Amino acid sequence: MTETKFTPRVFSGIQPSGNLHLGNYLGALKRFVDMQGPEMETVYCMVDLHAITVWQDPKELAHSTRELCAGFIAAGIDPEQSILFNQSQVPEHAQLAWIFNCVARMGWMQRMTQWKDKAGKNQQNASLGLFAYPSLMAADILIYHATHVPVGEDQKQHLELTRDIAIKFNNDFGVNFFPVTEPVIEGAATRVMSLRDGTKKMSKSDPSDMSRINMTDDADAIAQKIRKAKTDPDALPSEIDGLEGRPDARNLINIYAALADQSVEQVLADVGGKQFGEFKPMLAELAVAKLSPISSEMARLMNDQAEIDRILARGAERARAIAEPILRQTYDIVGMVSSARG
Ligand code: ATP
Ligand code: MG
């Protein structure tokens, strides 16, 4: 087997399932912006096909997709430099996902913790799409031969599965066609936790709005949620060891560090010894300073939805220019006959 050299390319996505939150921003969006630059092509996607693996109201889905696009741009994604689009408009994602459904094994899917968490006790009543989610995610990445995927820590297992699918496809067909993708999980806030429970991930789908800071929250809402965030009675430690067994304290410190672009050590050196009553207003002030320019820019962009739709259409066109030939080559490798070609 000959070594193919893959051009470095970044892909990542966010579901337009509403409630874009601080965890999405620190764990994903902010990092997407950091990776944007002349040395790597960056492809970012609103994964609407993933969103419908659980029920979405059609009107809200359309609104959330546009709002998420506004969120990407407001956070610093330049739609000229990056390719920005919604997944359903590039049909090659779903087409490659079908091939991967035939490569991935039932046992692999059954082990996925996101499946177990989201399907809960009633797996029989979950959608087939929710079960197959990781195979579509592998297709999202591999249809661009993406080499680097920035995500939050919760997606690590799905990225390992993406690697397994690429490796099995390459082995089954005796090719070196799909790259073995590198997960990029970095920074102080790869797993932002719920403000109500420091052992649970902050999520769009958490029924409690107090559990998360939404990117559309105003200054008062942000301050109130931080003031009410769960904590313990002790003062903050000056060293990392002192956060052991204190998930809520650790979470607020991680959030502060990520927002301030500081290390956790630096933050603790400054705030060690303070009570939460003193630290929470500092955190609220920092969060408002960092987030309110983004939320006002999102609101401004949402005033011109036609422009958002034009950006998405242009992004889909550019994405298809990459995806279409990769799907065609995949079909050739698999042995599918096409009468359209000689
Ligand atoms: P849902 O609850 O509907 O799954 P979500 O909040 O998990 O929504 P996704 O759209 O599934 O959001 O994830 C988009 C990106 O945000 C992924 O890279 C994911 O790893 C990251 N992410 C999600 N939640 C967090 C979090 N709490 N901390 C850090 N990163 C996160
Ligand atoms: Mg998720």
Side-chain angles (χ1 to χ4, degrees):
M1 215 158 55
T2 54
E3 266 302 308
T4 315
K5 197 155 165 21
F6 293 97
T7 324
R9 185 180 281 146
V10 176
F11 174 89
S12 200
I14 298 184
Q15 299 183 74
S17 43
N19 303 327
L20 188 67
H21 56 75
L22 182 66
N24 299 135
Y25 175 63
L26 295 175
L29 265 179
K30 190 168 183 284
R31 322 262 325 298
F32 300 173
V33 176
D34 294 342
M35 293 184 93
Q36 198 175 233
E39 49 308 318
M40 272 216 245
E41 192 169 19
T42 40
V43 184
Y44 297 126
C45 187
M46 280 123 266
V47 287
D48 47 9
L49 297 173
H50 282 282
I52 61 165
T53 56
V54 298
W55 170 251
Q56 302 293 331
D57 175 82
K59 276 208 182 66
E60 278 173 31
L61 178 63
H63 178 265
S64 299
T65 303
R66 293 190 177 104
E67 190 173 74
L68 179 54
C69 182
F72 270 98
I73 297 169
I77 298 298
D78 171 1
E80 290 302 315
Q81 192 166 18
S82 293
I83 298 179
L84 193 61
F85 68 104
N86 58 319
Q87 187 186 26
S88 58
Q89 302 311 299
V90 179
E92 286 78 9
H93 289 238
Q95 289 175 293
L96 184 61
W98 182 259
I99 303 281
F100 288 169
N101 281 345
C102 302
V103 173
R105 307 287 94 184
M106 290 290 286
W108 300 3
M109 297 294 176
Q110 268 156 355
R111 279 196 293 275
M112 295 295 112
T113 54
Q114 178 176 294
W115 156 250
K116 287 188 260 184
D117 289 347
K118 290 199 170 179
K121 291 201 175 64
N122 198 1
Q123 294 193 348
Q124 296 301 310
N125 204 31
S127 75
L128 181 54
L130 188 64
F131 187 69
Y133 187 115
S135 148
L136 177 58
M137 180 165 157
D140 297 336
I141 295 163
L142 295 174
I143 198 66
Y144 300 103
H145 277 186
T147 52
H148 295 76
V149 185
V151 285
E153 205 265 333
D154 63 301
Q155 291 303 317
K156 188 167 185 257
Q157 196 186 28
H158 286 168
L159 286 183
E160 280 158 9
L161 189 105
T162 299
R163 293 162 69 93
D164 290 342
I165 288 178
I167 291 166
K168 185 167 188 321
F169 182 97
N170 289 344
N171 281 342
D172 286 354
F173 294 100
V175 291
N176 189 15
F177 184 62
F178 287 116
V180 180
T181 300
E182 285 300 327
V184 186
I185 303 173
E186 288 165 355
T190 57
R191 190 174 180 83
V192 176
M193 308 310 275
S194 159
L195 299 179
R196 308 303 294 164
D197 177 354
T199 64
K200 247 175 70 185
K201 182 182 93 69
M202 187 179 283
S203 277
K204 298 203 204 78
S205 51
D206 193 314
S208 162
D209 196 59
M210 291 302 282
S211 71
R212 69 181 155 260
I213 293 173
N214 300 304
M215 295 305 286
T216 51
D217 283 345
D218 61 20
D220 286 349
I222 293 175
Q224 194 204 20
K225 285 175 179 179
I226 291 177
R227 197 165 55 242
K228 295 212 166 149
K230 185 165 172 250
T231 47
D232 54 44
D234 297 338
L236 285 161
S238 0
E239 275 162 32
I240 290 189
D241 290 351
L243 292 173
E244 201 60 49
R246 300 178 66 187
D248 300 294
R250 180 187 294 272
N251 187 36
L252 297 186
I253 292 291
N254 285 348
I255 292 173
Y256 191 100
L259 283 172
D261 280 315
Q262 289 181 346
S263 68
V264 169
E265 288 88 345
Q266 266 174 310
V267 174
L268 290 178
D270 291 343
V271 304
K274 286 191 197 304
Q275 295 291 334
F276 282 102
E278 197 180 341
F279 175 67
K280 280 178 166 182
M282 289 171 63
L283 177 59
E285 193 186 327
L286 176 65
V288 170
K290 296 285 178 174
L291 301 181
S292 60
I294 301 177
S295 66
S296 38
E297 179 62 3
M298 272 172 85
R300 194 189 65 77
L301 292 164
M302 282 300 275
N303 283 327
D304 190 353
Q305 298 207 351
E307 175 60 11
I308 289 186
D309 290 2
R310 271 193 297 277
I311 289 169
L312 290 176
R314 173 78 189 114
E317 213 177 287
R318 291 167 68 198
R320 275 201 94 173
I322 305 172
E324 205 272 329
I326 292 179
L327 183 74
R328 203 174 339 116
Q329 291 171 66
T330 308
Y331 278 180
D332 275 343
I333 291 168
V334 174
M336 283 161 173
V337 175
S338 166
S339 53
R341 286 173 283 122

